[in-house]
Amino acid sequence: MGQIAEMMGGLPMNELIGAPLTSVVSAQRDLAHVMIAYINDVGYAEEGSSDARMLNFNLTKPVIKDDTVEMNQMRIQAPLLGLLPLPALLVDHVTIDFQMEVSAAESSKSNTSAEASATASGGFGCFKASVTGKVSTSKENTRSTNQTAKYQVHVEANQQPATECMGKLMDMFASCTEPIDIRSGSAAA
């Protein structure tokens, strides 16, 4: 049992647990760089420019004027980044499972045997006697140990929710379908 404790005590736990956590942090940094590259590639009209890449379209919108509804053409410009989902992945759960079942096959066998024999003979007159004796002993020990180790890392990543700015932009797009009331005495929308 001491050998098993010694094997477990020699494990580099800081590496077994720390390395996956460091990898998760590196992965999160890489995900942020992917998002920045995406914004620079998709969001700007050209490299090094501060002008946003725009989606331009014409929209016909109902306008109420003097109790009549007229259809007016409007030109809408929307930043492309506001319309596309950003690749904003977030690692929000990491589980590091460490299980150890010691498994190093070790087998030892020892065999001890000893044998002794003695013979004695003698006689007296017409009587003759002979004595023979033999003693033997045998001992066999077998020891076997089985040890294995398992290591598992579980990481989950989820898409971040849309930003508040994206929500406001989508609300602004939705408001484009509401008619504008420009009748005298009415509040402008």
Side-chain angles (χ1 to χ4, degrees):
M1 192 57 123
Q3 183 184 15
I4 295 171
E6 185 180 312
M7 289 175 72
M8 291 182 76
L11 288 175
M13 294 305 282
N14 59 337
E15 290 177 26
L16 291 172
I17 293 172
L21 289 175
T22 302
S23 294
V24 168
V25 171
S26 295
Q28 188 65 41
R29 181 197 64 228
D30 292 345
L31 289 172
H33 284 291
V34 167
M35 185 171 138
I36 291 168
Y38 178 86
I39 289 171
N40 286 331
D41 188 41
V42 174
Y44 295 106
E46 55 189 53
E47 190 174 328
S49 171
S50 61
D51 295 330
R53 183 172 284 158
M54 303 298 279
L55 177 64
N56 299 305
F57 56 95
N58 294 324
L59 179 69
T60 303
K61 184 169 176 131
V63 176
I64 302 172
K65 185 177 181 182
D66 298 326
D67 294 331
T68 62
V69 176
E70 295 178 5
M71 300 306 277
N72 283 348
Q73 287 286 330
M74 299 179 78
R75 178 154 177 84
I76 304 291
Q77 285 189 315
L80 196 57
L81 278 179
L83 302 172
L84 301 174
L86 295 176
L89 291 175
L90 170 71
V91 175
D92 66 353
H93 184 82
V94 176
T95 302
I96 300 171
D97 296 322
F98 178 74
Q99 303 169 356
M100 182 167 181
E101 174 187 323
V102 182
S103 175
E106 179 183 317
S107 181
S108 65
K109 190 175 190 180
S110 64
N111 194 353
T112 306
S113 66
E115 188 175 304
S117 64
T119 304
S121 64
F124 181 71
C126 64
F127 295 104
K128 286 190 181 181
S130 172
V131 177
T132 303
K134 184 175 181 181
V135 176
S136 98
T137 181
S138 178
K139 180 180 174 185
E140 184 174 295
N141 291 329
T142 302
R143 179 180 166 198
S144 180
T145 305
N146 186 18
Q147 303 169 347
T148 59
K150 297 176 184 177
Y151 184 61
Q152 177 180 351
V153 177
H154 175 80
V155 178
E156 291 179 19
N158 291 309
Q159 179 72 19
Q160 292 184 30
T163 61
E164 184 178 344
C165 181
M166 174 62 94
K168 290 185 183 280
L169 182 62
M170 297 312 289
D171 290 344
M172 185 175 74
F173 287 148
S175 72
C176 289
T177 60
E178 296 290 324
I180 298 173
D181 191 351
I182 58 171
R183 292 180 281 195
S184 56
S186 67

